[in-house]
Amino acid sequence: MAMCSTFCPRVSTHLNSKPFSFFPVKHRFFVSIKAQASASTPKDDDIPASIGFLGLGIMGSPMAQNLIKAGRDVTVWNRTKSKCEPLISLGAKYKSSPEEVAASCDVTFSMLADPESALDVACGKYGAAKGMGPGKGYVDVSTVDGETSKLICEQIRATGAHFLEAPVSGSKKPAEDGQLIFLTAGDAVLYEKVATILDIMGKSRFYLGEVGNGAAMKLVVNMVMGSMMASFSEGLVLSEKVGLDPSVLVEVISQGAISAPMYALKGPSMVKSSYPTAFPLKHQQKDLRLALGLAESVSQPIPIAAATNELYKVAKSHGLSDQDFSAVIEALKVKLQQ
Protein backbone atom coordinates (compact mmCIF):
# COMPACT_ATOMS: atom_id res chain seq x y z
CA MET A 1 0.00 0.00 0.00
CA ALA A 2 1.44 3.32 -0.95
CA MET A 3 1.95 5.49 2.09
CA CYS A 4 4.13 8.55 1.67
CA SER A 5 4.52 12.17 2.58
CA THR A 6 2.56 14.75 0.59
CA PHE A 7 4.62 16.84 -1.79
CA CYS A 8 3.86 20.09 -3.60
CA PRO A 9 2.58 19.28 -7.10
CA ARG A 10 4.62 20.03 -10.19
CA VAL A 11 7.73 20.52 -8.08
CA SER A 12 10.84 18.75 -9.29
CA THR A 13 14.59 18.76 -9.10
CA HIS A 14 16.86 17.16 -11.65
CA LEU A 15 20.38 15.95 -12.19
CA ASN A 16 21.18 19.00 -14.29
CA SER A 17 20.13 21.48 -11.63
CA LYS A 18 20.59 21.99 -7.89
CA PRO A 19 19.64 18.71 -6.17
CA PHE A 20 17.06 18.16 -3.50
CA SER A 21 19.26 16.92 -0.66
CA PHE A 22 18.00 15.05 2.40
CA PHE A 23 21.50 14.44 3.78
CA PRO A 24 23.74 17.17 2.30
CA VAL A 25 26.89 15.90 3.99
CA LYS A 26 26.83 12.28 2.83
CA HIS A 27 24.21 11.79 0.12
CA ARG A 28 22.78 13.59 -2.88
CA PHE A 29 19.22 12.56 -3.63
CA PHE A 30 16.78 13.82 -6.24
CA VAL A 31 13.02 13.85 -6.48
CA SER A 32 10.65 14.51 -9.37
CA ILE A 33 6.86 14.65 -9.04
CA LYS A 34 5.01 14.22 -12.35
CA ALA A 35 7.11 16.94 -13.89
CA GLN A 36 6.33 18.47 -17.25
CA ALA A 37 9.06 18.84 -19.89
CA SER A 38 12.23 19.97 -18.17
CA ALA A 39 15.99 19.72 -18.12
CA SER A 40 15.88 16.06 -17.05
CA THR A 41 13.31 14.98 -19.63
CA PRO A 42 15.07 13.02 -22.38
CA LYS A 43 14.74 13.95 -26.01
CA ASP A 44 12.44 11.78 -28.10
CA ASP A 45 15.48 10.07 -29.64
CA ASP A 46 16.68 9.02 -26.17
CA ILE A 47 13.38 7.50 -25.03
CA PRO A 48 13.50 3.68 -25.29
CA ALA A 49 11.55 2.54 -28.35
CA SER A 50 10.95 -0.95 -27.00
CA ILE A 51 10.26 -1.99 -23.41
CA GLY A 52 10.45 -5.44 -21.89
CA PHE A 53 8.51 -6.44 -18.78
CA LEU A 54 9.30 -9.55 -16.76
CA GLY A 55 6.88 -10.72 -14.06
CA LEU A 56 3.15 -10.17 -14.43
CA GLY A 57 1.77 -10.69 -10.96
CA ILE A 58 -0.44 -8.45 -8.84
CA MET A 59 1.88 -5.47 -9.51
CA GLY A 60 3.63 -6.22 -12.78
CA SER A 61 0.48 -6.81 -14.82
CA PRO A 62 -1.15 -3.40 -14.23
CA MET A 63 2.21 -1.64 -14.61
CA ALA A 64 2.81 -3.25 -18.00
CA GLN A 65 -0.79 -2.59 -18.98
CA ASN A 66 -0.34 1.14 -18.34
CA LEU A 67 2.67 1.16 -20.65
CA ILE A 68 0.66 -0.53 -23.39
CA LYS A 69 -2.24 1.89 -22.93
CA ALA A 70 0.25 4.76 -23.28
CA GLY A 71 1.19 3.45 -26.71
CA ARG A 72 4.55 1.93 -25.81
CA ASP A 73 5.99 -1.08 -27.62
CA VAL A 74 5.97 -3.70 -24.85
CA THR A 75 7.26 -7.27 -24.81
CA VAL A 76 6.28 -9.46 -21.86
CA TRP A 77 7.33 -12.68 -20.14
CA ASN A 78 6.04 -14.57 -17.13
CA ARG A 79 6.77 -18.03 -15.76
CA THR A 80 3.08 -18.84 -16.20
CA LYS A 81 2.37 -17.86 -19.80
CA SER A 82 -1.39 -17.60 -19.21
CA LYS A 83 -0.77 -14.38 -17.25
CA CYS A 84 0.65 -12.86 -20.44
CA GLU A 85 -2.50 -13.47 -22.47
CA PRO A 86 -4.52 -10.41 -21.29
CA LEU A 87 -1.58 -8.15 -22.17
CA ILE A 88 -1.00 -9.85 -25.51
CA SER A 89 -4.66 -9.18 -26.31
CA LEU A 90 -3.98 -5.48 -25.64
CA GLY A 91 -1.07 -5.45 -28.08
CA ALA A 92 1.95 -6.72 -26.16
CA LYS A 93 4.47 -9.03 -27.77
CA TYR A 94 5.60 -12.24 -26.08
CA LYS A 95 8.95 -13.97 -25.71
CA SER A 96 9.58 -17.32 -24.08
CA SER A 97 12.44 -16.31 -21.77
CA PRO A 98 13.86 -13.27 -19.97
CA GLU A 99 16.93 -13.56 -22.19
CA GLU A 100 14.84 -13.21 -25.35
CA VAL A 101 12.92 -10.25 -23.93
CA ALA A 102 16.12 -8.40 -22.99
CA ALA A 103 17.71 -9.15 -26.35
CA SER A 104 14.74 -7.69 -28.23
CA CYS A 105 14.20 -4.56 -26.11
CA ASP A 106 16.03 -1.32 -25.36
CA VAL A 107 15.08 -1.37 -21.69
CA THR A 108 13.77 -4.29 -19.64
CA PHE A 109 11.79 -3.95 -16.39
CA SER A 110 11.37 -6.77 -13.88
CA MET A 111 8.86 -7.13 -11.05
CA LEU A 112 9.43 -10.34 -9.08
CA ALA A 113 8.11 -11.56 -5.75
CA ASP A 114 11.34 -12.06 -3.79
CA PRO A 115 15.15 -11.84 -3.97
CA GLU A 116 15.55 -15.43 -5.15
CA SER A 117 13.17 -14.94 -8.09
CA ALA A 118 14.67 -11.56 -8.97
CA LEU A 119 18.17 -13.02 -9.07
CA ASP A 120 17.13 -16.07 -11.09
CA VAL A 121 15.21 -14.07 -13.70
CA ALA A 122 18.08 -11.61 -14.10
CA CYS A 123 21.07 -13.93 -13.86
CA GLY A 124 19.84 -17.51 -14.29
CA LYS A 125 20.41 -19.91 -17.18
CA TYR A 126 18.06 -18.04 -19.51
CA GLY A 127 18.18 -14.83 -17.51
CA ALA A 128 17.90 -11.30 -18.80
CA ALA A 129 21.64 -10.68 -18.43
CA LYS A 130 22.24 -13.16 -21.25
CA GLY A 131 20.35 -10.84 -23.60
CA MET A 132 21.81 -7.56 -22.39
CA GLY A 133 24.58 -5.53 -24.02
CA PRO A 134 25.93 -2.00 -24.56
CA GLY A 135 23.18 0.56 -25.03
CA LYS A 136 20.57 -1.51 -23.19
CA GLY A 137 19.17 -1.00 -19.69
CA TYR A 138 17.75 -3.18 -16.93
CA VAL A 139 15.37 -1.72 -14.34
CA ASP A 140 14.52 -3.97 -11.40
CA VAL A 141 11.39 -2.75 -9.63
CA SER A 142 11.20 -5.77 -7.31
CA THR A 143 11.56 -5.40 -3.54
CA VAL A 144 14.83 -7.10 -2.64
CA ASP A 145 17.70 -6.61 -0.22
CA GLY A 146 20.66 -4.45 -1.15
CA GLU A 147 23.06 -7.38 -1.61
CA THR A 148 20.76 -9.03 -4.14
CA SER A 149 20.39 -5.76 -6.01
CA LYS A 150 24.17 -5.34 -6.13
CA LEU A 151 24.63 -8.89 -7.44
CA ILE A 152 22.14 -8.26 -10.24
CA CYS A 153 23.77 -4.90 -10.98
CA GLU A 154 27.19 -6.53 -11.29
CA GLN A 155 25.92 -9.10 -13.79
CA ILE A 156 24.08 -6.51 -15.88
CA ARG A 157 26.95 -4.03 -15.96
CA ALA A 158 29.35 -6.81 -16.95
CA THR A 159 27.50 -6.97 -20.28
CA GLY A 160 28.05 -3.26 -20.93
CA ALA A 161 24.43 -2.41 -20.14
CA HIS A 162 23.16 0.03 -17.52
CA PHE A 163 21.34 -0.90 -14.32
CA LEU A 164 18.76 0.86 -12.17
CA GLU A 165 17.05 -0.51 -9.06
CA ALA A 166 13.62 1.04 -8.73
CA PRO A 167 11.47 -0.66 -6.08
CA VAL A 168 8.03 0.88 -5.79
CA SER A 169 6.01 2.15 -2.87
CA GLY A 170 2.42 1.28 -3.66
CA SER A 171 0.18 -1.73 -4.06
CA LYS A 172 -2.41 -3.01 -6.52
CA LYS A 173 -4.67 0.08 -6.81
CA PRO A 174 -1.81 2.62 -7.18
CA ALA A 175 -0.26 0.29 -9.78
CA GLU A 176 -3.53 0.23 -11.71
CA ASP A 177 -3.91 4.01 -11.46
CA GLY A 178 -0.31 4.85 -12.37
CA GLN A 179 0.25 6.33 -8.91
CA LEU A 180 3.31 4.40 -7.74
CA ILE A 181 6.37 5.94 -6.11
CA PHE A 182 9.70 4.84 -7.59
CA LEU A 183 12.73 4.65 -5.29
CA THR A 184 15.58 4.47 -7.76
CA ALA A 185 19.35 4.11 -7.51
CA GLY A 186 22.11 3.12 -9.90
CA ASP A 187 23.15 4.48 -13.27
CA ALA A 188 22.01 8.09 -13.53
CA VAL A 189 22.07 7.94 -17.32
CA LEU A 190 19.48 5.17 -17.25
CA TYR A 191 17.38 7.07 -14.71
CA GLU A 192 17.25 9.99 -17.15
CA LYS A 193 16.48 7.68 -20.06
CA VAL A 194 13.49 5.98 -18.42
CA ALA A 195 12.11 9.06 -16.62
CA THR A 196 9.11 9.40 -18.94
CA ILE A 197 8.39 5.66 -18.65
CA LEU A 198 8.43 5.84 -14.86
CA ASP A 199 6.03 8.78 -15.06
CA ILE A 200 3.52 6.64 -16.95
CA MET A 201 3.48 4.13 -14.12
CA GLY A 202 3.95 6.43 -11.14
CA LYS A 203 3.23 9.78 -9.55
CA SER A 204 6.74 10.48 -8.29
CA ARG A 205 10.29 9.20 -8.56
CA PHE A 206 13.31 9.57 -6.34
CA TYR A 207 16.93 9.14 -7.41
CA LEU A 208 18.87 8.00 -4.34
CA GLY A 209 22.41 7.53 -5.62
CA GLU A 210 24.32 4.25 -5.45
CA VAL A 211 22.79 0.81 -5.95
CA GLY A 212 21.48 -0.47 -2.63
CA ASN A 213 20.00 2.84 -1.53
CA GLY A 214 16.73 2.21 -3.36
CA ALA A 215 16.42 -1.24 -1.81
CA ALA A 216 17.20 0.14 1.65
CA MET A 217 14.65 2.95 1.33
CA LYS A 218 11.93 0.51 0.27
CA LEU A 219 12.65 -1.82 3.17
CA VAL A 220 12.53 1.04 5.67
CA VAL A 221 9.21 2.25 4.23
CA ASN A 222 7.67 -1.21 4.36
CA MET A 223 9.05 -1.81 7.85
CA VAL A 224 7.20 1.29 9.06
CA MET A 225 4.06 0.29 7.15
CA GLY A 226 4.01 -3.21 8.61
CA SER A 227 4.43 -1.87 12.13
CA MET A 228 1.67 0.70 11.58
CA MET A 229 -0.73 -2.00 10.44
CA ALA A 230 0.09 -4.20 13.43
CA SER A 231 -0.51 -1.34 15.86
CA PHE A 232 -3.75 -0.39 14.10
CA SER A 233 -4.87 -4.01 14.34
CA GLU A 234 -4.21 -4.02 18.07
CA GLY A 235 -6.32 -0.91 18.44
CA LEU A 236 -9.27 -2.42 16.55
CA VAL A 237 -9.16 -5.64 18.54
CA LEU A 238 -8.79 -3.86 21.89
CA SER A 239 -11.60 -1.41 21.15
CA GLU A 240 -14.02 -4.24 20.45
CA LYS A 241 -12.82 -6.21 23.46
CA VAL A 242 -13.69 -3.33 25.82
CA GLY A 243 -17.11 -2.79 24.26
CA LEU A 244 -16.38 0.00 21.81
CA ASP A 245 -17.41 0.04 18.16
CA PRO A 246 -14.23 -0.42 16.08
CA SER A 247 -15.91 1.39 13.18
CA VAL A 248 -16.12 4.47 15.36
CA LEU A 249 -12.44 4.07 16.22
CA VAL A 250 -11.61 4.17 12.51
CA GLU A 251 -13.58 7.42 12.21
CA VAL A 252 -11.95 8.96 15.29
CA ILE A 253 -8.47 8.13 13.99
CA SER A 254 -9.32 9.55 10.58
CA GLN A 255 -9.96 12.97 12.13
CA GLY A 256 -6.90 13.17 14.33
CA ALA A 257 -3.16 13.71 14.08
CA ILE A 258 -2.48 10.01 13.43
CA SER A 259 -4.82 9.88 10.45
CA ALA A 260 -3.32 7.90 7.56
CA PRO A 261 -4.73 6.91 4.16
CA MET A 262 -3.93 3.28 4.96
CA TYR A 263 -6.17 3.30 8.04
CA ALA A 264 -9.06 4.94 6.20
CA LEU A 265 -8.76 2.50 3.30
CA LYS A 266 -8.21 -0.73 5.22
CA GLY A 267 -10.14 -0.05 8.43
CA PRO A 268 -13.73 -0.54 7.22
CA SER A 269 -12.99 -3.91 5.61
CA MET A 270 -10.90 -5.05 8.59
CA VAL A 271 -13.88 -4.38 10.89
CA LYS A 272 -15.85 -6.77 8.67
CA SER A 273 -13.02 -9.35 8.73
CA SER A 274 -12.55 -8.91 4.99
CA TYR A 275 -9.06 -8.72 3.50
CA PRO A 276 -9.12 -8.33 -0.30
CA THR A 277 -5.53 -8.73 -1.42
CA ALA A 278 -3.73 -5.61 -2.53
CA PHE A 279 -0.40 -6.42 -0.85
CA PRO A 280 -0.04 -10.08 0.20
CA LEU A 281 0.74 -10.69 3.85
CA LYS A 282 3.59 -13.03 2.90
CA HIS A 283 5.31 -10.18 1.08
CA GLN A 284 4.95 -7.85 4.04
CA GLN A 285 6.55 -10.46 6.31
CA LYS A 286 9.33 -10.97 3.76
CA ASP A 287 10.04 -7.23 3.75
CA LEU A 288 10.12 -7.14 7.55
CA ARG A 289 12.59 -10.03 7.51
CA LEU A 290 14.80 -8.20 5.03
CA ALA A 291 14.54 -4.97 7.06
CA LEU A 292 15.72 -6.87 10.14
CA GLY A 293 18.70 -8.10 8.14
CA LEU A 294 19.44 -4.55 7.00
CA ALA A 295 19.32 -3.31 10.59
CA GLU A 296 21.56 -6.15 11.76
CA SER A 297 24.14 -5.21 9.12
CA VAL A 298 24.60 -1.79 10.74
CA SER A 299 23.98 -2.91 14.35
CA GLN A 300 20.79 -0.87 14.63
CA PRO A 301 18.16 -2.19 17.08
CA ILE A 302 14.61 -2.20 15.70
CA PRO A 303 12.66 -3.99 18.46
CA ILE A 304 9.22 -2.84 17.33
CA ALA A 305 9.80 -4.19 13.82
CA ALA A 306 11.17 -7.43 15.29
CA ALA A 307 8.03 -7.95 17.38
CA THR A 308 5.87 -7.05 14.39
CA ASN A 309 7.64 -9.62 12.25
CA GLU A 310 6.75 -12.33 14.75
CA LEU A 311 3.08 -11.36 14.55
CA TYR A 312 3.10 -11.66 10.75
CA LYS A 313 4.77 -15.04 11.07
CA VAL A 314 1.92 -16.17 13.33
CA ALA A 315 -0.55 -14.95 10.69
CA LYS A 316 1.30 -16.94 8.01
CA SER A 317 1.18 -20.05 10.19
CA HIS A 318 -2.62 -19.74 10.20
CA GLY A 319 -2.84 -19.85 6.41
CA LEU A 320 -3.12 -16.12 5.76
CA SER A 321 -0.06 -15.73 3.50
CA ASP A 322 -2.03 -14.86 0.37
CA GLN A 323 -4.53 -12.60 2.13
CA ASP A 324 -3.93 -8.87 2.28
CA PHE A 325 -1.39 -7.85 4.91
CA SER A 326 -4.22 -6.30 6.93
CA ALA A 327 -5.22 -9.89 7.77
CA VAL A 328 -2.47 -9.74 10.41
CA ILE A 329 -5.32 -8.71 12.74
CA GLU A 330 -6.47 -12.33 12.67
CA ALA A 331 -3.26 -13.36 14.44
CA LEU A 332 -4.28 -11.15 17.36
CA LYS A 333 -7.76 -12.65 17.43
CA VAL A 334 -6.24 -16.13 17.58
CA LYS A 335 -4.01 -15.14 20.48
CA LEU A 336 -7.00 -13.74 22.37
CA GLN A 337 -8.94 -16.97 21.88
CA GLN A 338 -6.12 -19.15 23.23
Side-chain angles (χ1 to χ4, degrees):
M1 179 57 54
M3 300 298 149
C4 62
S5 300
T6 301
F7 299 95
C8 298
R10 306 299 184 188
V11 175
S12 62
T13 58
H14 307 285
L15 297 176
N16 296 327
S17 60
K18 186 177 180 180
F20 180 93
S21 179
F22 292 100
F23 300 96
V25 176
K26 291 186 178 181
H27 308 285
R28 298 180 70 194
F29 298 165
F30 308 93
V31 55
S32 178
I33 303 173
K34 282 292 187 183
Q36 298 288 353
S38 60
S40 73
T41 302
K43 298 177 181 178
D44 289 342
D45 292 343
D46 296 328
I47 298 174
S50 55
I51 304 168
F53 212 104
L54 311 174
L56 302 173
I58 196 169
M59 296 293 290
S61 183
M63 292 171 72
Q65 186 169 317
N66 282 335
L67 294 176
I68 297 168
K69 288 180 178 179
R72 302 296 182 176
D73 182 354
V74 179
T75 300
V76 298
W77 171 88
N78 192 76
R79 281 195 176 96
T80 306
K81 185 182 177 182
S82 60
K83 290 188 176 181
C84 298
E85 298 299 337
L87 297 174
I88 294 173
S89 68
L90 292 176
K93 301 172 184 175
Y94 170 78
K95 296 292 183 180
S96 61
S97 71
E99 177 183 0
E100 292 180 12
V101 172
S104 66
C105 296
D106 298 324
V107 171
T108 300
F109 286 77
S110 62
M111 171 58 93
L112 289 311
D114 51 50
E116 295 76 18
S117 298
L119 189 60
D120 182 57
V121 168
C123 309
K125 185 176 180 180
Y126 300 104
K130 297 290 201 317
M132 302 301 293
K136 292 180 179 290
Y138 191 78
V139 184
D140 192 349
V141 297
S142 315
T143 298
V144 301
D145 57 288
E147 289 307 309
T148 297
S149 192
K150 290 173 184 177
L151 283 173
I152 295 173
C153 174
E154 182 180 348
Q155 293 293 316
I156 296 299
R157 285 178 174 171
T159 70
H162 291 116
F163 176 78
L164 192 72
E165 63 175 358
V168 299
S169 182
S171 60
K172 182 180 178 182
K173 188 62 163 61
E176 292 171 345
D177 295 342
Q179 293 293 300
L180 296 169
I181 302 166
F182 287 92
L183 308 173
T184 76
D187 292 319
V189 64
L190 183 55
Y191 172 74
E192 295 284 0
K193 188 174 184 178
V194 301
T196 56
I197 299 174
L198 298 180
D199 288 345
I200 292 171
M201 299 182 287
K203 65 179 180 181
S204 60
R205 46 186 162 86
F206 291 76
Y207 180 78
L208 305 173
E210 297 179 357
V211 171
N213 287 347
M217 182 68 83
K218 175 59 188 295
L219 292 180
V220 171
V221 169
N222 277 21
M223 177 195 75
V224 173
M225 181 175 72
S227 299
M228 285 174 63
M229 179 56 74
S231 180
F232 183 56
S233 297
E234 288 183 332
L236 291 175
V237 171
L238 178 59
S239 67
E240 186 170 16
K241 192 73 173 180
V242 299
L244 299 174
D245 184 343
S247 296
V248 176
L249 174 65
V250 173
E251 181 64 22
V252 171
I253 288 176
S254 73
Q255 296 187 30
I258 61 170
S259 174
M262 180 175 75
Y263 296 156
L265 180 65
K266 301 289 187 181
S269 60
M270 291 172 71
V271 169
K272 299 175 182 177
S273 300
S274 176
Y275 316 105
T277 306
F279 181 46
L281 186 144
K282 62 185 178 183
H283 292 170
Q284 175 63 79
Q285 192 275 318
K286 177 262 296 183
D287 293 348
L288 283 164
R289 172 175 58 82
L290 294 178
L292 288 168
L294 177 65
E296 178 67 22
S297 72
V298 292
S299 301
Q300 174 59 50
I302 49 172
I304 294 173
T308 299
N309 183 52
E310 293 304 313
L311 187 63
Y312 281 92
K313 286 165 64 176
V314 170
K316 284 178 61 178
S317 73
H318 285 87
L320 299 169
S321 291
D322 293 321
Q323 295 287 306
D324 188 72
F325 78 116
S326 57
V328 70
I329 191 174
E330 292 296 327
L332 292 168
K333 294 178 182 179
V334 169
K335 282 181 172 291
L336 286 172
Q337 293 168 1
Q338 291 176 342

